[in-house]
Amino acid sequence: MQVFKFGGASVKDANGVKNLAKVLQDVGYDNTLVVVSAMGKTTNALELVVKNYLENKSELQSSIQDVKKYHNEILLDLFENTQHPIFKKVASIFEDLNHFLNHNKSPDYNFVYDQTIGFGELTSTVIISEYLNSIGIQNNWIDVRSFIKTDSYYRRANVNWEQTQIAIKENFDKKSLNVTQGFLGSDANNFTTTLGREGSDYTAAIFAYCLNSESVTIWKDVPGILNADPRYFENAQLLHSISYREAIELAFYGASVIHPKTLQPLQQKEIPLFVKSFLNPKNEGTKVDKSIGIIPNIPCYIVKKNQVLISLSSLDFSYIVEENISEIFKLLHYYKMKVDVIQNSAISFSVCFENTYSNLEQLLQHLKAKFKVTLYENVSLYTVRHYNEQAIASIEKDKTLLLKQLTQETIQIVTK
């Protein structure tokens, strides 16, 4: 078995879908599972649908129509015959979306988010599966929610590995080309769950682990894993080879090429991961395996925007000790803040985190009861692995430094 994952950028339009087919034809698709994300910016568009459903009902149908129109244009470019069954299949998916929104009784944003957002992946994979069949690439469309079972931690669900392995072992046909959705799972009540943004990579790794796959390939619009995001850094360079450990470090610090959870199941079974360009599928790309370090050995840059930095000090100038730190972390956990950097001294404690669930105000109310709080919003967190003086200077230039922390291999800098 081999597992291929195609992200939204690779199938953002009809030409992207045709190129996916060409990649399969160029590199081969025997005993292959294709995991696909929602097309283009569909996830963002469906997030607007969720927002309108909960906050602005008058705009709800308009935002749904925008999603339908986008996919219908792709359908018309791919299928000349408008009587093709795919048109009814896609229409049925949007009927299911409207049915949920009309009958849902839960006001919980996270639950509504997961039930709505997955329609992007369901639509993209149905279109791609039908297109492949129409040009002679026979495949099975499968619903990933029947295979990946999770808890009910909506928007960041945890995989139930035992149930997932049983479902895949008993029901997955290894001998065919299969097309399925990334990012999604289902809980014990068969409600849709999601694995976190960029979770389609993780989906590929879950299947690879359970199927003992030969390899996983993530197809992207870049030549492989780069030492920096070219949107924010000039002269980004290709890493030809990188170890699991190094890739996990980069993912932990926020490198967007690989989902943080993706590498752990692959490492356990030493399944190599390839990151390649869907524009040049024959190029080598980057290989992630059990080797040591990175080739070439150069600084790797990561930036995370729109972070929150808070600095805490005791109201009576007493020490910040274990009891205080324990309480702070309980609150961060309770309000679902993803912590990226911590730094403490005798009487102060600073923490940089993501306010993913918009719980900052409630957190601050708790903290201000016991600490003096200094708040910085919309800060940027820069991380450099294998840094040198030139790398540090390039980050610090023309910026206001709020926090700086060095270890032997990594430097993290928070700037305004």
Side-chain angles (χ1 to χ4, degrees):
M1 283 294 303
Q2 59 181 349
V3 180
F4 289 169
K5 180 261 174 173
F6 290 87
S10 68
V11 290
K12 64 182 179 181
D13 52 27
N15 286 334
V17 176
K18 292 175 183 177
N19 187 67
L20 181 153
K22 185 177 182 301
V23 170
L24 295 179
Q25 290 166 335
D26 286 349
V27 302
Y29 52 87
D30 290 340
N31 305 326
T32 298
L33 169 65
V34 175
V35 176
V36 189
S37 302
M39 291 174 154
K41 300 295 183 182
T42 298
T43 299
N44 293 341
L46 286 169
E47 285 176 346
L48 179 59
V49 170
V50 175
K51 187 174 189 294
N52 287 337
Y53 172 75
L54 295 172
E55 300 175 12
N56 189 10
K57 282 285 204 304
S58 64
E59 295 294 322
L60 176 60
Q61 284 306 314
S62 174
S63 56
I64 294 173
Q65 285 301 318
D66 287 343
V67 182
K68 290 176 70 174
K69 181 182 176 184
Y70 169 69
H71 287 93
N72 196 53
E73 288 174 352
I74 294 174
L75 282 175
L76 292 171
D77 286 340
L78 290 174
F79 299 91
E80 293 181 3
N81 179 12
T82 56
Q83 299 305 309
H84 191 286
I86 184 59
F87 288 89
K88 286 187 177 180
K89 287 186 178 182
V90 171
S92 176
I93 290 173
F94 282 98
E95 287 171 10
D96 290 344
L97 170 59
N98 274 308
H99 184 270
F100 166 73
L101 295 174
N102 289 332
H103 292 84
N104 171 60
K105 298 292 190 283
S106 173
D108 178 24
Y109 175 87
N110 300 316
F111 173 76
V112 174
Y113 182 98
D114 275 13
Q115 306 322 299
T116 303
I117 219 76
F119 283 96
E121 279 72 18
L122 294 171
T123 307
S124 69
T125 52
V126 164
I127 292 172
I128 288 164
S129 176
E130 286 289 342
Y131 176 73
L132 292 176
N133 280 326
S134 74
I135 63 169
I137 301 178
Q138 298 304 312
N139 70 93
N140 298 320
W141 180 90
I142 60 176
D143 190 332
V144 73
R145 296 170 297 181
S146 299
F147 294 91
I148 295 183
K149 307 302 292 185
T150 73
D151 63 11
S152 299
Y153 195 122
Y154 297 111
R155 293 181 68 202
R156 203 182 290 171
N158 299 293
V159 175
N160 183 319
W161 284 94
E162 183 179 355
Q163 290 182 10
T164 298
Q165 288 184 82
I166 291 171
I168 291 175
K169 182 178 180 180
E170 292 182 352
N171 301 309
F172 188 89
D173 178 8
K174 289 185 178 182
K175 296 178 181 178
S176 302
L177 171 63
N178 293 284
V179 176
T180 197
Q181 309 77 42
F183 184 46
L184 309 180
S186 67
D187 64 13
N189 296 312
N190 287 324
F191 288 118
T192 303
T193 56
T194 61
L195 306 177
R197 287 301 295 263
E198 310 303 328
S200 295
D201 293 357
Y202 188 35
T203 302
I206 293 166
F207 272 103
Y209 179 91
C210 295
L211 294 167
N212 295 312
S213 296
E214 181 180 289
S215 65
V216 173
T217 303
I218 297 174
W219 298 97
K220 300 185 72 70
D221 56 357
V222 291
I225 298 177
L226 306 177
N227 74 320
D229 188 330
R231 293 175 297 176
Y232 304 115
F233 299 92
E234 296 179 356
N235 304 317
Q237 293 179 247
L238 176 67
L239 301 175
H240 302 293
S241 173
I242 183 169
S243 68
Y244 291 121
R245 178 185 178 278
E246 189 62 41
I248 288 171
E249 291 277 3
L250 291 173
F252 172 80
Y253 288 117
S256 60
V257 176
I258 303 174
H259 189 279
K261 299 179 194 173
T262 298
L263 295 158
Q264 291 158 350
L266 300 181
Q267 183 185 28
Q268 287 183 39
K269 291 193 174 180
E270 297 186 353
I271 299 169
L273 168 71
F274 295 91
V275 180
K276 295 186 176 184
S277 167
F278 57 73
L279 301 173
N280 298 288
K282 294 290 184 70
N283 289 2
E284 290 188 7
T286 303
K287 183 179 182 181
V288 185
D289 60 12
K290 61 181 181 180
S291 59
I292 298 172
I294 59 174
I295 300 174
N297 189 8
I298 53 177
C300 296
Y301 302 84
I302 301 154
V303 61
K304 299 178 82 171
K305 305 280 188 177
N306 303 315
Q307 303 290 292
V308 177
L309 175 68
I310 56 174
S311 294
L312 310 174
S313 56
S314 53
L315 296 172
D316 59 0
F317 290 98
S318 60
Y319 291 142
I320 299 285
V321 293
E322 290 84 353
E323 183 180 349
N324 308 117
I325 294 172
S326 174
E327 184 174 1
I328 293 166
F329 269 97
K330 282 180 181 177
L331 289 171
L332 290 166
H333 176 71
Y334 180 78
Y335 289 111
K336 300 181 180 179
M337 301 299 184
K338 184 181 181 302
V339 175
D340 291 310
V341 186
I342 59 171
Q343 190 175 82
N344 67 290
S345 66
I347 59 172
S348 70
F349 183 91
S350 297
V351 57
C352 183
F353 56 84
E354 298 174 30
N355 183 26
T356 307
Y357 289 85
S358 302
N359 291 329
L360 181 60
E361 286 304 317
Q362 297 97 306
L363 172 65
L364 291 175
Q365 287 177 15
H366 265 98
L367 292 173
K368 286 178 179 178
K370 292 196 175 183
F371 303 97
K372 178 184 176 183
V373 180
T374 303
L375 170 67
Y376 303 92
E377 294 187 81
N378 298 316
V379 301
S380 296
L381 169 61
Y382 291 88
T383 303
V384 186
R385 290 277 296 167
H386 312 292
Y387 61 87
N388 52 34
E389 291 301 321
Q390 183 180 354
I392 297 173
S394 68
I395 298 297
E396 295 181 350
K397 185 179 179 182
D398 301 326
K399 297 184 182 73
T400 301
L401 267 61
L402 301 174
L403 182 149
K404 183 175 180 178
Q405 187 163 274
L406 291 89
T407 63
Q408 186 173 355
E409 294 183 310
T410 305
I411 183 170
Q412 292 190 282
I413 301 171
V414 179
T415 70
K416 188 66 176 174

